[in-house]
Structure formats: structure tokens, C-alpha cells
Amino acid sequence: VARDVNKGRLEAFSDGVLAVAITLLVLDLHVSASGTDSLAHQLREEWPAFSAYVISFFVIGVIWVNHHALFVMATRVDRALQFYNLLLLFWVSTIPFTTAALADYIKDGDTGDVRMAVLLYGVSNEGMAISFFLILRHLLRRELLPRPVPPADGRKALIRFAFGMIVYPVITVVGLFSPVAMYVGYLGTIIYYVVDQTPLVADEPVEVDAIDGSDDLTDSA
Amino acid sequence: VARDVNKGRLEAFSDGVLAVAITLLVLDLHVSASGTDSLAHQLREEWPAFSAYVISFFVIGVIWVNHHALFVMATRVDRALQFYNLLLLFWVSTIPFTTAALADYIKDGDTGDVRMAVLLYGVSNEGMAISFFLILRHLLRRELLPRPVPPADGRKALIRFAFGMIVYPVITVVGLFSPVAMYVGYLGTIIYYVVDQTPLVADEPVEVDAIDGSDDLTDSA
Amino acid sequence: VARDVNKGRLEAFSDGVLAVAITLLVLDLHVSASGTDSLAHQLREEWPAFSAYVISFFVIGVIWVNHHALFVMATRVDRALQFYNLLLLFWVSTIPFTTAALADYIKDGDTGDVRMAVLLYGVSNEGMAISFFLILRHLLRRELLPRPVPPADGRKALIRFAFGMIVYPVITVVGLFSPVAMYVGYLGTIIYYVVDQTPLVADEPVEVDAIDGSDDLTDSA
Amino acid sequence: VARDVNKGRLEAFSDGVLAVAITLLVLDLHVSASGTDSLAHQLREEWPAFSAYVISFFVIGVIWVNHHALFVMATRVDRALQFYNLLLLFWVSTIPFTTAALADYIKDGDTGDVRMAVLLYGVSNEGMAISFFLILRHLLRRELLPRPVPPADGRKALIRFAFGMIVYPVITVVGLFSPVAMYVGYLGTIIYYVVDQTPLVADEPVEVDAIDGSDDLTDSA
């Protein structure tokens, strides 16, 4: 029982930080009745802010889904895991700032500054990908999972997460030349996580409902 | 046990987003001692902001009550449901922005802009109604409820939720001509949800306390 | 089990709103390096903001403690109770706004505006006191408590809560003439709730740890 | 069961306040496309804000880890403990304000004001250290732990926490002369809490997973 409570609080605190960060994004959206521009005009002008808002909302949303999928498997939480988790939450908490900077500079349009903002946003995302990799590796190494994972399966899961560490830099480099292409890239990774149902660690019938491979979102949508 | 934890985290994250969004609404309320207008004068002038605040607070509050009523019935949560839920939370998180825009433009008074702001606010609400419909349909289709729901009952529940998808556009169209009438319309839907005690899915004695039909709010108030 | 989950979510959502509201208060505190006033000078000038911050923090904190004490006793939650609770959270969510207004106008000093701000702050507090009274009355009337409460005990508990509904208007009237005396009055009610250990409903050995009368804070402090 | 719920809500409310406070820190980070300074230039200029952000994030993160370690041991929660905990949360909630002031004045550079801001930041941290000490002392005195703690062990644990009350003033005094040295000092205490795995109260096999001394973070990192 003590162990569940323990894991429960780590999840509750993480849920709190993720919920606050995802909702604070809205503070970046602004229109004002005091100027001469019509609201319709302002909404069109603000497309970089709205696009960045939508993407960052689902980036954090996917982080929550993945965080959930990782920790639902863990049977134990140790102190080191708490700090790796804190590292993940740190990068999540920077998203409202890097999103605001991205939107502001894309709207402004100076190429050098846009590139810097694209890099900044990439750092947030790369930081999260690395943190997730560290969490999974720690879960596997410290045997915090309900049963020993065959080394081959563990390696496969690690490679999948490492893939996330490579995809963000690629999207960022694309973004240096075309922010719109970068938006498309981020949308692609979000859709990948929505559609992909591969269990992180195979042969875990206990958690079958959490990582159910038979569920086809597009069919039921 | 694993299944309960699973559903528990989805509820905890949703509670977090709903709690932050409902409380962030207060950031739209402003009075200032630095100008020459008296506080009493400012409070009168700001009535669109205060009305919008009250309505949006209870709109989100009713969403929480309905979210609770839907998920208390679910016995399983799958990955697709997580994403439908994320979609609902996305629209909830836009409410502080669309509420602020609505209040700002009603106070400003330009008819064209007010109509655009009314539309924007309607989009948030319609997005939520559609998300709720998708969640309920998924719960019924995937048989995530504790027992098979008779098709007739399922259809009835879906129609009730589809009704929500129709009522918001109607209120929005009314709002294009009279924002005050729109406020009254939203208040009406809130009161409907407060008074209405019909169980979503009939014959569910296990959850009798959650969807207790015998409880008369007006009597006890 | 279903019933516990039900009550658990109401508590989780309430905890979320209370936690966000109590933490948003800090957004009212401002100092700025850009002016010519020294930081020490600004901290002295901002005493109304700091005092209001401290008082509102503990006002919301005491609400949490009382909310906890009421709901730890409830064995059932019905739909009406959800809406009474929503009413309580509504008034809680106005506190960051009414606190900011109070601090701003006390600093500004115009007597008429200060009185209006004192009234506004009193409305938030009175709204919460009335909501608490409605929640307790509903718990007693609907027999949502673990066992029937003797009418005399129920009446005594209701009178205690009704007392709260009287004390806030009195403090507010005092505040119309002296904001400092009002601050002292609010501090007095906070200290009353810290020291007072009387169980809300007597003879409830099950919850003895939650409403432990033998605990003397001043002794252990 | 009632007791667990009781402790659970105190933990949930604390998690909420800590999660909101840690995420609100991001509101202190600002860059703007409207000026003439490049984004790269602004990021360099804002180093005091970014450093303060990183430090305060992990200061609050470590508070969460310690809060978790203390309360996972408690078997009972009484009313006095609720108020000591509220005192801790009060000081936590001031961190976004004192962090913003610190960053603003270090950037501005006036020596007298920087010293005042360093003192202000030290007050937040000292307030938290004292609150933690009071919580631990209350847990020991009131015997809220699962079994009687040998007086020698209790004293040792109290001395460890009292050490925290001494280290913050020392770091603050150093900060009066060099804010950078102060930053290094705070980083040192954070790393100390990350690496240190000594159980708070020895011989508590029940919570072995929460306070596991065998876990070596640097090895697995």
C-alpha cells in the first residue's frame, strides 16, 4: 500500500504540473478591442500564436499520455526516478515561454530571430525527449517494472524512445528554413503518437487496457 | 487495480486542467485605482466582463459535473479515449481566451467585432459539445461500460448529448443579434444541467448515488 | 467503491481550484527595478498588498481545512451537493480579484473607493460563508453522513456555521471605517479556526483523527 | 480508510500548490519581438532571470521530494499538522514573487537593491526551512509515525532539518556580496538533496522503497 501511495503522489504532482503548463499556454493568446484593427483581422494576424498554441497543447498532451503509459507499468518509484521526473517537468514548464517566443518572432518575421526562437523551442522538446529516455532506462536498469524485461525488448523500447531524441533536432533544423514545415513536423509526431498503439514493453497482459493494440482511433472517430 | 489507477490518472489530469481553466478566468477581471473613474463606476462599466466571468465559470463547472457523470460509469479507459478527452480539454482551455475577447468587445460595442467575438465563444462551446458526444459514443461502441447498454438506451443518451451540439449554435445565432439574450441562453443551459437529474444510461443501480434522480435541488435550496 | 471515487473526484477538483486560487494571489505582488524608488521603499509602500496577500492566503487555507473537515464526514455525494460545492468554489475564485482591488485602493487612499473595495472583499467572504452553510445543511437534510445526527447536534453545527455568515458582514462594516481594523478582524477569524478544535458533529469516533479535540497547537508550536 | 483519505487530501492540496507555484515561475521569463534587441541578445541579457528560474524550479522540486518523504511516513494527520503544512505552502507560494524580484534587481544592478532582493529571497527559503522543521517536530512529538521513534534517532533527524535552517541564512549572507556565489550555494543544496539518500528516520523497513539508501543516482545517470 505504501508503495502505491508513493507512486500515486509522483503521478499527482506530475499531473498538476502538466495540467498547469498546458492551461497556461492560453495566456499567450491576445486580442484587443482598444486598437483600430477588427477582431477578424487580428485573428488572421495572430495565426502564428494560434498554431503554436494548438501544437504545444497537443505536445504536452502527448507527454501526459506517454508519462501515463510509462508509470502505469512501474511497480516501484525510487528517489532517482523522482529527480529524472523533475527534469522532465522542468522542460515541460518551459514550453509556455518558448511557445510564446516562437509565436511572437514568427509574427515579427526577422529571419535571424525566428531561427533563434525555433532553436529555443527545439531545446524544450529535446530536453523532454532526453528526460523520457532517462526515465525509461532507469525503469529498465533498476528493475522497477513488475517482471524482468527480456533484454531484447528493453533495447527495442529504448531505441523507440531514442528515436524521439533524434526526430526533434531534425524538425528543428527544418524549422530554421521554414517554420510552417516545422509546424507540420510537430503535427506529424503528435499524430504518430495518437495512432501508434505499440506497447512500450511487450507481453504485459496486466496493463492490456492501457496499451491496447486493438484500438483503432480513425475507425471509431 | 491497474485499471482503476489508469482511469484515476485520466480523471486527475482532467480535474487539474478544468480547475486551472476555471480559476484563470479571474485574470480577466480588472479594476484600477490609477485612473479617475471611481471603483463603483468601473464595476458598472465592467458588467460584460463580470457576466461573462459568471457564465464561463458555471459553463466549465457543468462540464466538470458531466465529465464526472460520464467517467464514473466507465470501467475501462483505452488510448483512443485519452485522445478524445484531450480534445475536450483543448476546447476547455480556450474558454479563458474566448471569454476575455467576448467581454472586451461587448464593452467596446462595435457590432461587427461583437458578432465575431460571439462566434469565437460559440466555437469553444461547440467544440466541447462535440468532444463530449465523441467520448460518449466511444464509451458505448467500445463497451467500456460495466455492462452492455441496450441499443435503445444508448441511442437515447447519444441523442441527449447531440442535443447539446445543436443548442450552442442556436444560442450563438441569437447572440449575433443580442449578446444579452445569448447570456440568458447560456444561463438557461446551465440551469437545465443543475435541475436535470436524468441518468445518462438507465438501469445502473451501482452508480445510483452519482445520478440520483430523487434529489430536488430547488426544494433543498 | 464507486461512491468513494465519486467523493474523491469532488475533493480533487475542489483541491485543484483552491490550490490554483491560493497560488494566483502571488500575481498581485509587484516590485519593479525600472523606477527610481528603492526596493526597500517599494516594499514599505506595498504594505496593503502584502497584508492583503497574507490574509487572503490564510482565508483560502482555512476554507480548505473546513472543506476537508466537512467532506471527510460525508459518506455520499449527490448532484445537488456538487452544485453547492461549485457555488463555494465560485466565491473562492473571486478572491484573487477582490484581494487585488482591496490592496490597490487602500494604497491609493480615496475613502469612497476604499469603502467600495472593502464591500467587494466582504461579498467574496460572505458568499463563501453562505455556501458552506448550504453544504452543511444539505449534508444534514439528505442524510449523507455516516449515521443520523441528533437534531440538537445538527442545529448546533448549523448555528456555528451561521455564525460565520454574521461575522463577515460585521468585519466588513468595521472595514468601512478602518481597513486596518478589518485586517485585524480577518486575522482573528483565521486564528479562531486554527485554535478551535470542536468537532462539527459530536460523537463521531470514526473520524477522531480528523477532528481530534485533544490537539493543542499553541502547546506544540 | 478514513485516515488515508484524510492524509491523501492534505497531500493532494499540497501537490496542487507546489505544482502551480513551480509552473507559475515561467511567467517571469520574457522576451519581446517589438524592441530592437535581437532575441539572442535578449537571452544573454536575461541570464539572471533564467538562472533564478532554474534554481527556484529545483528549490520547489526538492521541497516536493522532501514533503513526500516526510508524509509517506506519517500514519495520521491532525489539525495542527494541517496548519504547519499551510505555513510551508505560504512560503512556497511567495517564491514566484521573490524570484522575480531577485532576477529583476540583479539585472538592474544597483547594489543596495540587489542586497534587499537577496534578503527577500532568503526569507522565502528560510520560512520554508523553519516550516519543515516544525512539521517534523510535530510528527515526532505527536507520535504520528507508524511506531515510536527512538529519541536519539528523532534528535538526529531534527538536527538534519535544523541544518537547513542554518544553511539558508549563510547562503543569503554570501549573496549580499556576490549573487553568483549565492546561486552556486543554492545549486549546492539542491545537489546535496539529489545525492543524499539517508533515511530521515532509520529502521523503517515499511517505507524502504521511498527512502531507499541503495540507490545511486550518479551511477545510473
Side-chain angles (χ1 to χ4, degrees):
Chain A
V1 166
R3 292 184 175 176
D4 286 354
V5 170
N6 192 12
K7 180 176 133 182
R9 272 203 79 179
L10 184 144
E11 292 179 329
F13 180 65
S14 306
D15 283 346
V17 172
L18 288 163
V20 178
I22 211 171
T23 321
L24 280 187
L25 289 169
V26 79
L27 299 183
D28 291 338
L29 304 184
H30 292 291
V31 290
S32 169
S34 59
T36 56
D37 288 341
S38 76
L39 175 54
H41 180 81
Q42 287 182 63
L43 292 175
R44 275 195 304 275
E45 288 285 298
E46 290 281 335
W47 76 262
F50 290 109
S51 314
Y53 175 69
V54 172
I55 285 165
S56 290
F57 185 94
F58 286 100
V59 161
I60 297 181
V62 161
I63 287 166
W64 180 79
V65 172
N66 283 336
H67 192 275
H68 172 277
L70 267 185
F71 281 89
V72 86
M73 292 189 307
T75 44
R76 290 203 310 127
V77 167
D78 61 18
R79 203 168 169 109
L81 195 61
Q82 288 181 324
F83 284 104
Y84 288 129
N85 189 55
L86 214 49
L87 201 65
L88 174 68
L89 297 180
F90 173 77
W91 291 111
V92 169
S93 80
T94 64
I95 295 267
F97 166 65
T98 57
T99 303
L102 187 67
D104 203 21
Y105 282 99
I106 288 181
K107 204 176 118 187
D108 187 58
D110 177 89
T111 314
D113 283 343
V114 170
R115 285 185 180 174
M116 196 70 205
V118 163
L119 274 176
L120 202 63
Y121 191 70
V123 167
S124 284
N125 281 281
E126 183 66 7
M128 296 188 302
I130 292 172
S131 305
F132 260 128
F133 180 80
L134 292 173
I135 289 172
L136 177 60
R137 199 181 60 162
H138 188 73
L139 284 173
L140 291 169
R141 277 201 188 168
R142 295 286 158 180
E143 303 188 345
L144 306 176
L145 301 174
R147 68 175 92 171
V149 175
D153 288 356
R155 221 169 7 249
K156 225 163 57 187
L158 275 173
I159 288 170
R160 259 186 91 244
F161 269 65
F163 180 73
M165 296 195 294
I166 293 161
V167 94
Y168 287 122
V170 170
I171 294 176
T172 301
V173 168
V174 169
L176 294 177
F177 302 95
S178 163
V180 174
M182 180 186 68
Y183 279 5
V184 173
Y186 278 115
L187 273 179
T189 63
I190 291 164
I191 291 167
Y192 166 79
Y193 281 111
V194 173
V195 173
D196 176 52
Q197 304 288 334
T198 318
L200 287 174
V201 179
D203 306 313
E204 284 293 339
V206 184
E207 275 79 40
V208 71
D209 61 325
I211 50 178
D212 186 354
S214 68
D215 202 61
D216 183 353
L217 183 69
T218 51
D219 172 38
S220 62
Chain B
V1 166
R3 290 183 177 176
D4 286 353
V5 171
N6 193 12
K7 180 176 134 181
R9 271 204 79 179
L10 184 143
E11 292 180 327
F13 180 65
S14 306
D15 284 346
V17 172
L18 289 163
V20 178
I22 211 172
T23 322
L24 279 187
L25 289 169
V26 80
L27 299 183
D28 292 337
L29 304 184
H30 293 291
V31 290
S32 169
S34 58
T36 56
D37 288 342
S38 76
L39 176 53
H41 180 80
Q42 288 182 62
L43 292 176
R44 276 194 305 273
E45 289 284 298
E46 289 282 335
W47 74 262
F50 290 109
S51 314
Y53 175 69
V54 172
I55 285 165
S56 290
F57 185 94
F58 286 100
V59 161
I60 297 181
V62 161
I63 287 165
W64 180 79
V65 172
N66 283 336
H67 193 275
H68 172 275
L70 266 185
F71 280 87
V72 86
M73 292 189 308
T75 44
R76 289 203 312 125
V77 166
D78 61 19
R79 203 170 170 106
L81 194 61
Q82 287 181 325
F83 284 103
Y84 288 128
N85 189 55
L86 214 49
L87 202 65
L88 174 67
L89 298 180
F90 173 76
W91 292 112
V92 169
S93 80
T94 65
I95 295 267
F97 166 65
T98 56
T99 302
L102 186 68
D104 203 19
Y105 282 99
I106 288 182
K107 205 178 117 187
D108 188 59
D110 177 90
T111 314
D113 284 342
V114 170
R115 286 184 178 173
M116 195 71 205
V118 163
L119 274 177
L120 202 64
Y121 191 70
V123 167
S124 284
N125 281 281
E126 184 66 6
M128 296 189 301
I130 292 173
S131 306
F132 260 128
F133 180 80
L134 291 174
I135 289 172
L136 177 60
R137 199 181 61 162
H138 187 73
L139 284 173
L140 291 169
R141 276 202 190 168
R142 295 286 157 181
E143 302 189 345
L144 305 177
L145 301 174
R147 65 175 94 173
V149 175
D153 287 356
R155 223 171 3 251
K156 226 163 56 187
L158 276 173
I159 287 170
R160 259 185 92 243
F161 268 65
F163 181 72
M165 296 196 294
I166 292 160
V167 93
Y168 288 121
V170 170
I171 294 177
T172 301
V173 168
V174 168
L176 295 177
F177 300 97
S178 163
V180 173
M182 180 186 68
Y183 278 4
V184 173
Y186 278 114
L187 272 180
T189 63
I190 291 164
I191 290 166
Y192 166 78
Y193 281 111
V194 172
V195 173
D196 176 52
Q197 304 288 335
T198 319
L200 287 174
V201 179
D203 306 313
E204 284 293 340
V206 184
E207 274 79 42
V208 71
D209 61 324
I211 50 178
D212 186 355
S214 68
D215 202 61
D216 184 351
L217 183 68
T218 50
D219 171 39
S220 62
Chain C
V1 166
R3 291 182 176 178
D4 285 353
V5 171
N6 192 13
K7 180 176 134 183
R9 270 204 80 179
L10 184 144
E11 291 179 328
F13 181 65
S14 306
D15 284 345
V17 172
L18 289 164
V20 178
I22 211 171
T23 322
L24 280 187
L25 289 169
V26 79
L27 300 182
D28 292 338
L29 305 184
H30 292 291
V31 290
S32 169
S34 59
T36 55
D37 288 342
S38 75
L39 174 54
H41 180 81
Q42 287 182 62
L43 292 175
R44 275 195 305 274
E45 288 285 297
E46 290 281 334
W47 75 264
F50 290 108
S51 314
Y53 175 70
V54 172
I55 285 166
S56 289
F57 186 94
F58 286 99
V59 161
I60 297 181
V62 161
I63 287 165
W64 179 80
V65 172
N66 283 336
H67 192 275
H68 172 276
L70 267 185
F71 280 88
V72 87
M73 292 189 308
T75 44
R76 290 202 313 124
V77 167
D78 61 19
R79 204 170 169 106
L81 194 61
Q82 288 181 324
F83 284 103
Y84 288 128
N85 189 54
L86 215 48
L87 202 65
L88 173 67
L89 298 180
F90 173 76
W91 292 112
V92 169
S93 81
T94 64
I95 294 268
F97 166 65
T98 56
T99 303
L102 186 68
D104 203 19
Y105 282 99
I106 287 181
K107 205 177 115 186
D108 188 58
D110 177 272
T111 315
D113 284 342
V114 171
R115 285 185 179 173
M116 195 71 204
V118 163
L119 274 176
L120 203 62
Y121 191 70
V123 167
S124 283
N125 282 281
E126 184 65 7
M128 297 189 301
I130 292 173
S131 305
F132 260 127
F133 180 80
L134 292 173
I135 288 172
L136 177 61
R137 200 182 59 164
H138 188 73
L139 284 173
L140 290 169
R141 277 203 189 166
R142 296 287 158 181
E143 302 188 347
L144 305 177
L145 301 174
R147 67 174 92 173
V149 175
D153 287 356
R155 219 165 13 244
K156 224 162 58 185
L158 276 173
I159 288 170
R160 260 185 91 244
F161 269 64
F163 180 73
M165 295 196 295
I166 293 160
V167 93
Y168 287 122
V170 170
I171 294 177
T172 301
V173 168
V174 169
L176 294 177
F177 301 96
S178 163
V180 174
M182 180 186 68
Y183 278 4
V184 173
Y186 278 114
L187 272 180
T189 63
I190 291 164
I191 291 167
Y192 166 78
Y193 281 112
V194 172
V195 172
D196 176 52
Q197 304 288 333
T198 320
L200 287 173
V201 179
D203 307 312
E204 286 292 340
V206 185
E207 274 80 42
V208 71
D209 62 324
I211 49 178
D212 186 354
S214 68
D215 202 62
D216 183 352
L217 184 67
T218 50
D219 171 39
S220 63
Chain D
V1 166
R3 292 183 176 177
D4 285 354
V5 171
N6 191 14
K7 180 176 133 181
R9 271 203 79 180
L10 183 144
E11 291 179 329
F13 180 65
S14 306
D15 283 345
V17 172
L18 289 163
V20 178
I22 210 171
T23 321
L24 279 188
L25 289 169
V26 80
L27 299 183
D28 292 338
L29 304 184
H30 293 290
V31 289
S32 169
S34 58
T36 56
D37 288 341
S38 75
L39 175 54
H41 180 80
Q42 287 183 62
L43 292 175
R44 274 194 305 274
E45 289 285 298
E46 290 281 335
W47 75 262
F50 290 110
S51 314
Y53 175 69
V54 172
I55 285 166
S56 289
F57 186 94
F58 287 99
V59 161
I60 298 181
V62 161
I63 287 165
W64 179 80
V65 172
N66 282 335
H67 192 275
H68 172 277
L70 266 186
F71 281 88
V72 87
M73 292 190 306
T75 44
R76 290 204 309 128
V77 167
D78 61 20
R79 204 169 169 108
L81 194 61
Q82 288 181 324
F83 284 103
Y84 288 128
N85 189 55
L86 214 49
L87 201 66
L88 174 68
L89 297 180
F90 172 76
W91 292 111
V92 169
S93 80
T94 64
I95 294 267
F97 165 66
T98 56
T99 302
L102 187 68
D104 204 20
Y105 282 99
I106 288 182
K107 205 177 117 188
D108 188 58
D110 177 272
T111 314
D113 284 342
V114 170
R115 286 185 178 173
M116 195 70 205
V118 163
L119 274 176
L120 203 63
Y121 191 70
V123 167
S124 284
N125 281 280
E126 183 66 7
M128 296 188 301
I130 292 172
S131 306
F132 260 128
F133 180 81
L134 292 173
I135 288 172
L136 176 60
R137 199 182 59 163
H138 188 73
L139 284 173
L140 290 169
R141 277 202 189 167
R142 295 286 157 183
E143 302 188 345
L144 306 176
L145 301 174
R147 67 175 93 171
V149 175
D153 287 356
R155 222 168 8 247
K156 226 163 57 186
L158 276 173
I159 288 170
R160 261 186 89 242
F161 268 66
F163 180 73
M165 296 195 294
I166 292 160
V167 94
Y168 288 122
V170 170
I171 294 178
T172 301
V173 168
V174 169
L176 294 177
F177 301 95
S178 162
V180 173
M182 179 185 70
Y183 278 5
V184 173
Y186 278 114
L187 272 180
T189 63
I190 292 164
I191 291 167
Y192 167 79
Y193 281 113
V194 172
V195 172
D196 175 52
Q197 304 288 334
T198 319
L200 286 173
V201 179
D203 306 313
E204 285 292 340
V206 184
E207 275 79 41
V208 71
D209 62 325
I211 49 177
D212 187 353
S214 70
D215 203 63
D216 183 353
L217 182 68
T218 50
D219 171 38
S220 62

